[in-house]
Amino acid sequence: MMYTKPYSQVIDGIDYHALGYVLPLKKSGLGVGCIYLGVGGMEKYDKDGKYLGVFKNTEWATFLSYGHSITNNLSVGASLKGLFQEIDVYSGSGF
């Protein structure tokens, strides 16, 4: 688990959070987690320099991972990650 406000002395409004958990199994492991990055209070201007207000950027990533030990020196694994991003009035997501 982690929470930080990077560059808080220089830029206000950045939040970064991460949460993860791994369940150890006999010869394998299952992991889940979530990561969040948000930046708020960014000023928006049009091409002529007219102030249009403030907007934010929000990014989420969630993941599910599995790993399995085949031998003492070889392991294999796979991850599935879902992503979501929203900036101002635009948004998108994917896997």
Side-chain angles (χ1 to χ4, degrees):
M1 179 171 25
M2 180 190 74
Y3 169 76
T4 186
K5 289 180 142 312
Y7 313 110
S8 60
Q9 288 81 17
V10 180
I11 303 170
D12 190 29
I14 300 175
D15 290 316
Y16 183 52
H17 311 263
L19 177 65
Y21 178 75
V22 174
L23 176 65
L25 304 170
K26 202 169 205 172
K27 290 189 116 192
S28 58
L30 182 65
V32 295
C34 182
I35 301 169
Y36 167 82
L37 175 64
V39 181
M42 293 184 285
E43 296 179 346
K44 181 166 75 169
Y45 297 89
D46 69 6
K47 64 180 178 163
D48 299 320
K50 180 182 174 190
Y51 178 74
L52 300 175
V54 296
F55 69 98
K56 66 179 181 174
N57 176 37
T58 305
E59 299 180 30
W60 284 93
T62 57
F63 57 89
L64 176 65
S65 302
Y66 177 78
H68 183 77
S69 175
I70 296 175
T71 68
N72 286 340
N73 297 321
L74 180 64
S75 297
V76 295
S79 260
L80 176 65
K81 185 188 295 185
L83 303 169
F84 173 79
Q85 182 177 22
E86 180 180 39
I87 185 165
D88 198 14
V89 297
Y90 305 100
S91 65
S93 60
F95 283 95

